[in-house]
Amino acid sequence: MNFSMLNQARELKSKIDKAQKELGSTVVEVSSGKGAVKVIIDGLQKIQSIKISPEVIDPDKAEHLEELVFKAVSDAIAKSQKQGTKQLKGLTGGLKIPGLF
């Protein structure tokens, strides 16, 4: 068994664990509808909060609000994933590792 390779794998895992912990404390904020809907998400794609401006809450226009929320959440996830991929790319050398992004 190649102990050097095993040590490198352990070191890489340690670095990836550290990077994922850092991503968990990274915050991304995205808004849609000129700030009517704001989504805050962390670097691990866990939504921290959703804020909706009272002006866009209209029972007769629920579909519009749904679209704004959907867009804000989708954009927040995409931005968070891009940030995570960028941060982890340096550790993995561009390799796609299942379960990481």
Side-chain angles (χ1 to χ4, degrees), residues 1 5 16 25 27 31-32 39 48 59 75 79 83 85 90 93-94 98 101:
M1 177 173 243
M5 187 179 251
I16 290 172
S25 64
V27 176
S31 64
S32 67
V39 175
Q48 303 299 311
D75 289 352
K79 188 174 180 180
Q83 190 171 354
T85 299
F101 289 96

Side-chain angles (χ1 to χ4, degrees), residues 21-36:
K21 186 176 181 180
E22 289 172 4
L23 284 172
S25 64
T26 300
V27 176
V28 174
E29 184 174 329
V30 176
S31 64
S32 67
K34 299 178 184 174

